[in-house]
Amino acid sequence: QVQLVESGGGLVQPGGSLRLSCIVSRGIFIMNAMGWYRQAPGKERELVASISTRGGTTTYADSVKGRFTISRDNAKNTVYLQMNSLKPEDTAVYYCNTLANWRKIDNWGQGTQVTVSS
């Protein structure tokens, strides 16, 4: 089973920055494109950003484009999400997971809470 451990969340003021990290089981990490997802209270989980297996291709939701950057370090089995110019609407629990068929995945980590508030 895939092991995912997210960290780096917290409380930040609007306009601030956070860097999220996610350590993933090595075998799964190396073979898969990865995504960062978020779920706000009362809303469905959404894909925020994705990155290909070697990091050459990234995609972003329109709501975070230009503010968030996804990256990965395959030597450390870790995927990152640098979040700048944070807005209150970015408040959510953030998760990482593999990208393929993500809506059908039922194995998620504990996530990391991001709260943007003054």
Side-chain angles (χ1 to χ4, degrees):
Q1 194 174 23
V2 180
Q3 304 252 339
L4 309 122
V5 181
E6 301 94 346
S7 63
L11 173 63
V12 63
Q13 292 187 343
S17 297
L18 285 173
R19 189 192 194 205
L20 307 184
S21 300
C22 177
I23 298 175
V24 187
S25 307
R26 178 162 182 81
I28 297 298
F29 187 76
I30 291 294
M31 293 186 296
N32 284 278
M34 297 295 298
W36 276 100
Y37 308 83
R38 68 185 181 188
Q39 188 167 19
K43 294 188 176 181
E44 291 188 352
R45 186 172 286 150
E46 63 173 340
L47 175 64
V48 173
S50 69
I51 188 165
S52 57
T53 52
R54 295 187 178 184
T57 301
T58 57
T59 64
Y60 298 93
D62 288 343
S63 59
V64 306
K65 202 170 293 183
R67 300 187 296 121
F68 290 12
T69 303
I70 188 171
S71 61
R72 65 190 291 162
D73 185 337
N74 285 357
K76 296 182 178 180
N77 307 329
T78 303
V79 58
Y80 304 98
L81 187 68
Q82 178 67 44
M83 307 187 296
N84 299 328
S85 303
L86 283 161
K87 304 176 180 180
E89 51 264 43
D90 294 319
T91 296
V93 179
Y94 284 71
Y95 305 86
C96 75
N97 217 314
T98 54
L99 181 64
N101 298 314
W102 68 269
R103 293 185 185 277
K104 298 182 179 181
I105 296 174
D106 58 9
N107 177 39
W108 295 85
Q110 83 288 351
T112 186
Q113 175 72 48
V114 171
T115 303
V116 185
S117 175
S118 55

